């Protein structure tokens, strides 16, 4: 690795970054597989669990678990770097609130509710009857304290949709910083743009080590509750900010592509070490090298038009909102049939994919009222629906 600094940084043009689109689709695809795996992985708690749990799933789940969410937060930060100059701060904030808060509230009310029902039912805390449960849920009545999360007073929850709340929070903070502190942000952007070779690895990992040393001991539980999740905020907020600072800097993307073989090889070796030890340095090095490898190889191989990509780019947000509820409902009901450790997971995974596909293609994208509730741009009733949908105007969920 070289520490040589480039003489000049050239900003990227405003053409669409196909590799970022593709990585976003891949990341959410892995998220779907991961949540199906949570139904089957042995000794990892989840909302509902199958009787056919497998210990061998822990290793591939651990591999993905280290960098799947950081990847999504970096991509969301990248999205902001591509759109922040196109709108005023007020208009950009309004657009992001509309695109993130509306699906979050709708999802908590109607999409996440079946997950809560089956989790409480599994724990024996409620009687069967979804209609009665939903009425109680939507009218903000209390449920038993550990019905689906352990809090003493539970009304609504966001389950897997916590990501939307966090991205919205980071986005609004960033918009305020862009408006109120452009010079410090510009300074940070210039410093990040200078990172090359070992510095591109060492500086972020050094920052993560500070969080692990001083923040994690005080806030070891990642609650996903927004208000008391400070270690998660330190990590995910930093990843989001890094995505924004990396943005359209051509030099950094070329450097990640140049290092792609080293970062991939290092990530594999570090994961082997991670399976043998819980050393903090190993954890953060493993995480960051996988991210650098993903961006380096993505920039090298995926930054080109692909026929499937525009449709997948539009579909990924509704699929993300829907998938975990479909998995929970299918998993709970198929588990009662004792289908065996092969047939059941195949049906759960296949049913989750098929359910997302059918609901998105034939219901959500064809119903103007539903489109914004699932994060899709509004479409006039006279607009012809095509299989290669036009991508959304940015890359974030």
């Amino acid at each position: 690795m070289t520490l040589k600094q480039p003489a000049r940084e050239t900003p990227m043009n405003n053409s669409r970054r196909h590799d970022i689109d593709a990585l976003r689709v891949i990341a959410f695809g892995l998220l779907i597989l991961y949540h199906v795996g949570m139904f089957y992985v042995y000794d990892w708690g989840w909302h509902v669990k199958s009787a056919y749990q497998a210990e061998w799933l822990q290793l591939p789940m651990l591999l993905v678990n280290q960098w799947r969410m950081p990847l999504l937060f970096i991509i969301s930060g990248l999205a902001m770097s591509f759109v922040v100059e196109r709108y005023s701060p007020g208009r950009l904030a309004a657009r992001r609130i509309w695109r993130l808060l509306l699906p979050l509230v709708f999802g908590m009310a109607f999409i996440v509710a079946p997950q809560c029902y089956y989790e409480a039912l599994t724990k024996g805390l409620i009687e069967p009857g979804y209609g009665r449960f939903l009425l109680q849920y939507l009218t903000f009545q209390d449920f038993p304290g550990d019905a689906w999360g352990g809090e003493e007073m539970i009304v609504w929850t966001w389950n897997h949709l916590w990501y939307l709340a966090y991205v919205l929070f980071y986005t609004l903070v960033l918009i305020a910083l862009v408006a109120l502190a452009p010079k410090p942000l510009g300074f940070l952007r210039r410093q990040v743009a200078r990172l090359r070779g070992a510095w591109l690895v060492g500086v972020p990992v050094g920052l993560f080590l500070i969080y692990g040393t001083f923040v994690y001991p005080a806030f070891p539980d990642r609650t996903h509750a927004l208000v008391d999740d400070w270690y998660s905020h330190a990590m995910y907020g930093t990843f989001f900010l890094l995505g924004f600072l990396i943005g359209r800097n051509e030099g950094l993307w070329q450097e990640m592509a140049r290092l792609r073989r080293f970062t991939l090889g290092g990530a594999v070796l570090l994961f082997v070490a991670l399976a043998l030890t819980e050393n903090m340095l190993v954890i953060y090095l493993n995480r960051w090298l996988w991210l650098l490898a993903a961006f380096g190889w993505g920039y090298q191989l995926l930054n080109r038009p692909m026929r499937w990509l525009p449709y997948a780019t539009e579909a990924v947000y509704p699929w993300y909102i829907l998938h975990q509820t479909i998995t929970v409902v299918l998993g709970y009901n198929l588990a009662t049939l004792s289908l065996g450790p092969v047939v059941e997971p195949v049906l759960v995974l296949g049913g989750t994919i098929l359910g997302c596909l059918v609901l998105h293609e034939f219901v959500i994208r064809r119903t103007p009222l539903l489109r914004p509730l699932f994060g899709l741009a509004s479409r006039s009733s006279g607009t012809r629906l095509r299989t290669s949908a036009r991508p959304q105007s940015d890359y974030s969920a």
Side-chain angles (χ1 to χ4, degrees), residues 250-267:
E250 181 72 29
L252 277 174
W253 288 100
Q254 290 178 352
E255 181 69 355
M256 287 187 283
R258 185 182 73 83
L259 296 174
R260 67 189 184 278
R261 292 182 177 86
F262 166 80
T263 53
L264 180 59

PDB file of all heavy atoms in Angstrom, residues 250-267:
ATOM      1  N   GLU A 250     -13.828  11.401  -7.240  1.00  0.00           N
ATOM      2  CA  GLU A 250     -13.324  10.384  -8.161  1.00  0.00           C
ATOM      3  C   GLU A 250     -12.057   9.720  -7.631  1.00  0.00           C
ATOM      4  O   GLU A 250     -11.862   8.512  -7.778  1.00  0.00           O
ATOM      5  CB  GLU A 250     -13.064  11.005  -9.527  1.00  0.00           C
ATOM      6  CG  GLU A 250     -12.550  10.048 -10.573  1.00  0.00           C
ATOM      7  CD  GLU A 250     -13.594   9.077 -11.072  1.00  0.00           C
ATOM      8  OE1 GLU A 250     -14.787   9.433 -11.062  1.00  0.00           O
ATOM      9  OE2 GLU A 250     -13.223   7.957 -11.446  1.00  0.00           O
ATOM     10  N   GLY A 251     -11.198  10.510  -7.009  1.00  0.00           N
ATOM     11  CA  GLY A 251      -9.942   9.954  -6.516  1.00  0.00           C
ATOM     12  C   GLY A 251     -10.145   8.867  -5.484  1.00  0.00           C
ATOM     13  O   GLY A 251      -9.450   7.837  -5.491  1.00  0.00           O
ATOM     14  N   LEU A 252     -11.085   9.064  -4.562  1.00  0.00           N
ATOM     15  CA  LEU A 252     -11.340   8.053  -3.544  1.00  0.00           C
ATOM     16  C   LEU A 252     -11.905   6.773  -4.147  1.00  0.00           C
ATOM     17  O   LEU A 252     -11.526   5.663  -3.745  1.00  0.00           O
ATOM     18  CB  LEU A 252     -12.310   8.607  -2.494  1.00  0.00           C
ATOM     19  CG  LEU A 252     -11.701   9.468  -1.386  1.00  0.00           C
ATOM     20  CD1 LEU A 252     -12.799  10.066  -0.516  1.00  0.00           C
ATOM     21  CD2 LEU A 252     -10.740   8.650  -0.532  1.00  0.00           C
ATOM     22  N   TRP A 253     -12.808   6.903  -5.084  1.00  0.00           N
ATOM     23  CA  TRP A 253     -13.381   5.711  -5.704  1.00  0.00           C
ATOM     24  C   TRP A 253     -12.325   4.952  -6.500  1.00  0.00           C
ATOM     25  O   TRP A 253     -12.294   3.709  -6.474  1.00  0.00           O
ATOM     26  CB  TRP A 253     -14.563   6.095  -6.592  1.00  0.00           C
ATOM     27  CG  TRP A 253     -15.752   6.505  -5.788  1.00  0.00           C
ATOM     28  CD1 TRP A 253     -16.155   7.780  -5.517  1.00  0.00           C
ATOM     29  CD2 TRP A 253     -16.659   5.644  -5.103  1.00  0.00           C
ATOM     30  NE1 TRP A 253     -17.271   7.764  -4.709  1.00  0.00           N
ATOM     31  CE2 TRP A 253     -17.601   6.470  -4.439  1.00  0.00           C
ATOM     32  CE3 TRP A 253     -16.775   4.267  -4.979  1.00  0.00           C
ATOM     33  CZ2 TRP A 253     -18.643   5.949  -3.676  1.00  0.00           C
ATOM     34  CZ3 TRP A 253     -17.813   3.741  -4.220  1.00  0.00           C
ATOM     35  CH2 TRP A 253     -18.727   4.586  -3.575  1.00  0.00           C
ATOM     36  N   GLN A 254     -11.451   5.651  -7.181  1.00  0.00           N
ATOM     37  CA  GLN A 254     -10.369   4.981  -7.892  1.00  0.00           C
ATOM     38  C   GLN A 254      -9.418   4.290  -6.930  1.00  0.00           C
ATOM     39  O   GLN A 254      -8.899   3.202  -7.212  1.00  0.00           O
ATOM     40  CB  GLN A 254      -9.620   5.995  -8.756  1.00  0.00           C
ATOM     41  CG  GLN A 254     -10.418   6.505  -9.940  1.00  0.00           C
ATOM     42  CD  GLN A 254      -9.666   7.536 -10.754  1.00  0.00           C
ATOM     43  OE1 GLN A 254      -8.589   7.999 -10.368  1.00  0.00           O
ATOM     44  NE2 GLN A 254     -10.235   7.913 -11.891  1.00  0.00           N
ATOM     45  N   GLU A 255      -9.177   4.928  -5.760  1.00  0.00           N
ATOM     46  CA  GLU A 255      -8.312   4.306  -4.761  1.00  0.00           C
ATOM     47  C   GLU A 255      -8.940   3.047  -4.198  1.00  0.00           C
ATOM     48  O   GLU A 255      -8.254   2.027  -3.998  1.00  0.00           O
ATOM     49  CB  GLU A 255      -8.011   5.307  -3.643  1.00  0.00           C
ATOM     50  CG  GLU A 255      -7.103   4.775  -2.556  1.00  0.00           C
ATOM     51  CD  GLU A 255      -5.670   4.547  -3.000  1.00  0.00           C
ATOM     52  OE1 GLU A 255      -5.379   4.722  -4.204  1.00  0.00           O
ATOM     53  OE2 GLU A 255      -4.839   4.180  -2.157  1.00  0.00           O
ATOM     54  N   MET A 256     -10.245   3.063  -3.918  1.00  0.00           N
ATOM     55  CA  MET A 256     -10.902   1.859  -3.423  1.00  0.00           C
ATOM     56  C   MET A 256     -10.864   0.751  -4.467  1.00  0.00           C
ATOM     57  O   MET A 256     -10.708  -0.432  -4.123  1.00  0.00           O
ATOM     58  CB  MET A 256     -12.335   2.178  -3.003  1.00  0.00           C
ATOM     59  CG  MET A 256     -12.419   2.966  -1.704  1.00  0.00           C
ATOM     60  SD  MET A 256     -14.106   3.195  -1.057  1.00  0.00           S
ATOM     61  CE  MET A 256     -14.713   4.497  -2.141  1.00  0.00           C
ATOM     62  N   ALA A 257     -11.001   1.116  -5.737  1.00  0.00           N
ATOM     63  CA  ALA A 257     -10.891   0.110  -6.794  1.00  0.00           C
ATOM     64  C   ALA A 257      -9.464  -0.427  -6.881  1.00  0.00           C
ATOM     65  O   ALA A 257      -9.257  -1.632  -7.085  1.00  0.00           O
ATOM     66  CB  ALA A 257     -11.328   0.712  -8.130  1.00  0.00           C
ATOM     67  N   ARG A 258      -8.461   0.428  -6.733  1.00  0.00           N
ATOM     68  CA  ARG A 258      -7.065  -0.011  -6.792  1.00  0.00           C
ATOM     69  C   ARG A 258      -6.735  -0.979  -5.672  1.00  0.00           C
ATOM     70  O   ARG A 258      -5.969  -1.932  -5.857  1.00  0.00           O
ATOM     71  CB  ARG A 258      -6.140   1.213  -6.724  1.00  0.00           C
ATOM     72  CG  ARG A 258      -4.661   0.892  -6.896  1.00  0.00           C
ATOM     73  CD  ARG A 258      -3.806   2.133  -6.765  1.00  0.00           C
ATOM     74  NE  ARG A 258      -3.722   2.599  -5.390  1.00  0.00           N
ATOM     75  CZ  ARG A 258      -2.874   2.117  -4.476  1.00  0.00           C
ATOM     76  NH1 ARG A 258      -2.052   1.115  -4.801  1.00  0.00           N
ATOM     77  NH2 ARG A 258      -2.841   2.604  -3.254  1.00  0.00           N
ATOM     78  N   LEU A 259      -7.318  -0.760  -4.506  1.00  0.00           N
ATOM     79  CA  LEU A 259      -7.032  -1.584  -3.329  1.00  0.00           C
ATOM     80  C   LEU A 259      -7.936  -2.802  -3.213  1.00  0.00           C
ATOM     81  O   LEU A 259      -7.863  -3.532  -2.214  1.00  0.00           O
ATOM     82  CB  LEU A 259      -7.172  -0.739  -2.063  1.00  0.00           C
ATOM     83  CG  LEU A 259      -6.194   0.427  -1.878  1.00  0.00           C
ATOM     84  CD1 LEU A 259      -6.578   1.234  -0.642  1.00  0.00           C
ATOM     85  CD2 LEU A 259      -4.766  -0.075  -1.773  1.00  0.00           C
ATOM     86  N   ARG A 260      -8.801  -3.042  -4.180  1.00  0.00           N
ATOM     87  CA  ARG A 260      -9.880  -4.006  -4.010  1.00  0.00           C
ATOM     88  C   ARG A 260      -9.368  -5.423  -3.740  1.00  0.00           C
ATOM     89  O   ARG A 260      -9.984  -6.162  -2.952  1.00  0.00           O
ATOM     90  CB  ARG A 260     -10.808  -3.992  -5.219  1.00  0.00           C
ATOM     91  CG  ARG A 260     -10.195  -4.502  -6.515  1.00  0.00           C
ATOM     92  CD  ARG A 260     -11.123  -4.241  -7.705  1.00  0.00           C
ATOM     93  NE  ARG A 260     -10.596  -4.814  -8.939  1.00  0.00           N
ATOM     94  CZ  ARG A 260      -9.680  -4.237  -9.697  1.00  0.00           C
ATOM     95  NH1 ARG A 260      -9.174  -3.060  -9.342  1.00  0.00           N
ATOM     96  NH2 ARG A 260      -9.257  -4.821 -10.802  1.00  0.00           N
ATOM     97  N   ARG A 261      -8.278  -5.834  -4.345  1.00  0.00           N
ATOM     98  CA  ARG A 261      -7.767  -7.182  -4.086  1.00  0.00           C
ATOM     99  C   ARG A 261      -7.190  -7.280  -2.676  1.00  0.00           C
ATOM    100  O   ARG A 261      -7.398  -8.278  -1.974  1.00  0.00           O
ATOM    101  CB  ARG A 261      -6.714  -7.554  -5.128  1.00  0.00           C
ATOM    102  CG  ARG A 261      -7.288  -7.738  -6.530  1.00  0.00           C
ATOM    103  CD  ARG A 261      -6.222  -8.163  -7.526  1.00  0.00           C
ATOM    104  NE  ARG A 261      -6.798  -8.412  -8.838  1.00  0.00           N
ATOM    105  CZ  ARG A 261      -7.000  -7.463  -9.754  1.00  0.00           C
ATOM    106  NH1 ARG A 261      -6.666  -6.190  -9.478  1.00  0.00           N
ATOM    107  NH2 ARG A 261      -7.527  -7.761 -10.927  1.00  0.00           N
ATOM    108  N   PHE A 262      -6.469  -6.247  -2.275  1.00  0.00           N
ATOM    109  CA  PHE A 262      -5.929  -6.243  -0.916  1.00  0.00           C
ATOM    110  C   PHE A 262      -7.042  -6.236   0.119  1.00  0.00           C
ATOM    111  O   PHE A 262      -6.998  -6.995   1.099  1.00  0.00           O
ATOM    112  CB  PHE A 262      -5.022  -5.020  -0.722  1.00  0.00           C
ATOM    113  CG  PHE A 262      -4.707  -4.749   0.716  1.00  0.00           C
ATOM    114  CD1 PHE A 262      -3.736  -5.470   1.385  1.00  0.00           C
ATOM    115  CD2 PHE A 262      -5.411  -3.772   1.431  1.00  0.00           C
ATOM    116  CE1 PHE A 262      -3.458  -5.230   2.722  1.00  0.00           C
ATOM    117  CE2 PHE A 262      -5.142  -3.527   2.762  1.00  0.00           C
ATOM    118  CZ  PHE A 262      -4.153  -4.263   3.414  1.00  0.00           C
ATOM    119  N   THR A 263      -8.045  -5.379  -0.059  1.00  0.00           N
ATOM    120  CA  THR A 263      -9.100  -5.278   0.954  1.00  0.00           C
ATOM    121  C   THR A 263      -9.933  -6.551   1.019  1.00  0.00           C
ATOM    122  O   THR A 263     -10.327  -6.974   2.114  1.00  0.00           O
ATOM    123  CB  THR A 263     -10.003  -4.066   0.680  1.00  0.00           C
ATOM    124  OG1 THR A 263     -10.494  -4.112  -0.665  1.00  0.00           O
ATOM    125  CG2 THR A 263      -9.233  -2.770   0.875  1.00  0.00           C
ATOM    126  N   LEU A 264     -10.195  -7.183  -0.130  1.00  0.00           N
ATOM    127  CA  LEU A 264     -10.952  -8.432  -0.106  1.00  0.00           C
ATOM    128  C   LEU A 264     -10.158  -9.536   0.572  1.00  0.00           C
ATOM    129  O   LEU A 264     -10.689 -10.273   1.421  1.00  0.00           O
ATOM    130  CB  LEU A 264     -11.346  -8.842  -1.524  1.00  0.00           C
ATOM    131  CG  LEU A 264     -12.150 -10.144  -1.633  1.00  0.00           C
ATOM    132  CD1 LEU A 264     -13.443 -10.053  -0.831  1.00  0.00           C
ATOM    133  CD2 LEU A 264     -12.449 -10.471  -3.092  1.00  0.00           C
ATOM    134  N   GLY A 265      -8.886  -9.667   0.202  1.00  0.00           N
ATOM    135  CA  GLY A 265      -8.053 -10.690   0.842  1.00  0.00           C
ATOM    136  C   GLY A 265      -7.916 -10.441   2.334  1.00  0.00           C
ATOM    137  O   GLY A 265      -8.009 -11.372   3.145  1.00  0.00           O
ATOM    138  N   GLY A 266      -7.702  -9.183   2.709  1.00  0.00           N
ATOM    139  CA  GLY A 266      -7.596  -8.848   4.127  1.00  0.00           C
ATOM    140  C   GLY A 266      -8.887  -9.111   4.868  1.00  0.00           C
ATOM    141  O   GLY A 266      -8.881  -9.564   6.026  1.00  0.00           O
ATOM    142  N   ALA A 267     -10.046  -8.816   4.214  1.00  0.00           N
ATOM    143  CA  ALA A 267     -11.337  -9.047   4.853  1.00  0.00           C
ATOM    144  C   ALA A 267     -11.553 -10.529   5.131  1.00  0.00           C
ATOM    145  O   ALA A 267     -12.050 -10.908   6.203  1.00  0.00           O
ATOM    146  CB  ALA A 267     -12.460  -8.502   3.973  1.00  0.00           C
TER     147      ALA A 267
END
